[in-house]
Amino acid sequence: MEGGNRMTELDQAKVETFGGTMMGVLNGGMLSLMTSIGHQTGLFEAMADLSASTSEEIAAAAGLNERYVREWLAAMVSGRIIEHSPDDGTYRLPAEHAVMLTKAAGPDNMAAFARLIPILSTVHDEIVDCFQNGGGVSYDRYDDFLGFFAGYTAQVFDGSLVSKVMPLMPAVEEGLAGGIEVLDIGCGTGHSTNLMARAYPGSRFTGYEFRDQALDQGREQAESLGLNNVTFLKRDLAVMDEVTAYDLVTAFDVIHDQVEPRKVLRNVLTALRPGGTFLMVDIKASSHVHDNLQYPMASFLYTSSTMHCMTVSLAQGGEGLGAMWGAQKAVELLKEAGFENVVVHEVEGDVFNNYYIATNP
């Protein structure tokens, strides 16, 4: 049937509804940029402490250029994020909005997450090329992304890793207090490794990472904290060759990025002592897209996966699991690697991750 004839059969109400959806997408995309600017410049923090104020007063409080602030305010007003009174020309950030856009939100600060939009946009053209020619975009193009992610996870783990996550593993928690060997794979800047090392001074911790700059940051933090029970080493997780060396291995949002995730999981099992535990933290989602339709952040995470997690694996000829590999696939790969007992937990305060606890039989 000819395309022109088919147009007469369209449900016009559906067309108009979808048109509204797309306008929301475009407006939301632009507002994300403005929201990121509000976060980066401190405008939300400044306005949270102000009553209704003029653009001049807001700019002065934030130490910014008034003309730019005024245009930003207009975008925020049109996006229903900031309220405006035309009678006296003032602007106000409602307390109900401020609590989701400022440091009061902690790791759930939505304005901070908006920062990912401009960060990922820097590789937009390279991702388009990948769609056309395959391959991927390498890790070295993502310093800002990795820095953002390190900051977010630090906030989450500061409030939960020792107090909420470790109690999920009573025997491990007891062992940590008494003194065991722990390996943190893909440790990034070492915040999680140092956090555990500080909480359990009787245990010994090793962090594996392949980026020199991240390793240096981990070592510097350990030194500043006076830790002498932690070591950071440059290692490729796919060629780990340690056998029955650790009582606990941890991986915080690491496995889905790997070139050879199945091999890494087998290496983890080999590195564990009999009865040892693997704590794998990874994105909370289903492996089936239709099950994620009600997940409020699904589109955000699938996009992040396409533009970072999946592509950094494919850049090295990897499997390209992506961030949204999901619980079903995660459990499948853990069992395929040889972990017979796998339990999945959720932790209050971490809306993005599942906590997989697997033991070496």
Side-chain angles (χ1 to χ4, degrees):
M1 180 179 293
E2 299 242 349
N5 293 335
R6 186 176 181 275
M7 291 295 290
T8 60
E9 301 173 5
L10 292 176
D11 182 334
Q12 290 303 314
K14 189 173 182 179
V15 170
E16 292 173 11
T17 297
F18 181 67
T21 297
M22 286 307 302
M23 279 191 282
V25 168
L26 295 174
N27 278 321
M30 292 300 189
L31 279 171
S32 292
L33 294 173
M34 292 291 100
T35 301
S36 176
I37 288 173
H39 171 69
Q40 293 288 96
T41 59
L43 273 163
F44 290 126
E45 301 293 342
M47 291 191 71
D49 294 330
L50 294 173
S51 57
S53 305
T54 64
S55 60
E56 290 84 2
E57 292 168 334
I58 294 167
L64 300 171
N65 180 281
E66 186 277 336
R67 182 64 190 93
Y68 278 92
V69 170
R70 192 182 348 141
E71 203 74 0
W72 177 84
L73 286 165
M76 293 290 100
V77 170
S78 65
R80 312 300 193 270
I81 295 172
I82 286 172
E83 295 176 350
H84 174 55
S85 173
D87 294 336
D88 58 8
T90 60
Y91 302 85
R92 172 179 170 269
L93 177 62
E96 296 81 2
H97 296 188
V99 75
M100 299 185 69
L101 297 170
T102 63
K103 59 187 177 184
D108 298 325
N109 186 342
M110 302 300 283
F113 279 107
R115 173 73 181 129
L116 281 183
I117 309 303
I119 287 175
L120 293 177
S121 294
T122 63
V123 297
H124 173 274
D125 290 350
E126 292 169 76
I127 294 294
V128 170
D129 182 74
C130 291
F131 270 79
Q132 296 167 335
N133 301 302
V137 181
S138 64
Y139 267 111
D140 59 15
R141 294 283 289 114
Y142 290 98
D143 282 347
D144 287 347
F145 179 95
L146 296 170
F148 165 84
F149 189 73
Y152 168 74
T153 55
Q155 289 188 74
V156 172
F157 294 147
D158 282 347
S160 65
L161 185 54
V162 173
S163 62
K164 298 177 182 178
V165 178
M166 293 307 169
L168 297 173
M169 306 174 290
V172 170
E173 191 175 32
E174 182 179 351
L176 286 165
I180 59 175
E181 295 287 341
V182 182
L183 173 63
D184 188 11
I185 62 173
C187 67
T189 58
H191 188 81
S192 56
T193 325
N194 287 326
L195 190 62
M196 293 186 290
R198 189 179 188 184
Y200 306 104
S203 290
R204 293 155 300 281
F205 296 83
T206 301
Y208 280 179
E209 173 60 39
F210 72 94
R211 292 174 295 131
D212 292 320
Q213 183 178 5
L215 287 166
D216 289 341
Q217 288 179 260
R219 292 174 184 130
E220 289 169 7
Q221 185 187 52
E223 184 177 355
S224 70
L225 294 172
L227 301 176
N228 57 14
N229 61 332
V230 60
T231 303
F232 292 100
L233 301 173
K234 186 173 184 177
R235 291 288 188 274
D236 181 346
L237 303 184
V239 294
M240 285 168 51
D241 56 2
E242 295 184 85
V243 179
T244 60
Y246 297 97
D247 303 286
L248 172 66
V249 177
T250 59
F252 299 107
D253 283 299
V254 167
I255 300 302
H256 68 255
D257 287 344
Q258 295 303 303
V259 177
E260 298 179 86
R262 299 167 198 269
K263 187 173 183 180
V264 171
L265 292 176
R266 290 195 299 271
N267 288 344
V268 168
L269 184 66
T270 300
L272 280 171
R273 291 169 177 159
T277 300
F278 179 38
L279 170 64
M280 184 181 81
V281 182
D282 222 293
I283 296 298
K284 183 192 304 180
S286 169
S287 302
H288 310 295
V289 64
H290 63 271
D291 290 333
N292 292 323
L293 295 182
Q294 302 305 313
Y295 186 5
M297 296 293 283
S299 296
F300 181 92
L301 289 168
Y302 276 119
T303 301
S304 297
S305 181
T306 304
M307 301 193 72
H308 176 268
C309 307
M310 182 186 75
T311 194
V312 295
S313 175
L314 294 176
Q316 301 175 74
E319 186 167 345
L321 280 177
M324 298 292 278
W325 62 320
Q328 297 92 330
K329 192 71 173 179
V331 171
E332 175 191 326
L333 263 61
L334 284 166
K335 292 190 173 182
E336 177 187 298
F339 290 100
E340 295 177 3
N341 184 26
V342 180
V343 181
V344 186
H345 294 273
E346 296 182 9
V347 170
E348 182 183 2
D350 188 349
V351 298
F352 283 106
N353 288 308
N354 279 330
Y355 289 71
Y356 300 85
I357 298 173
T359 54
N360 185 2

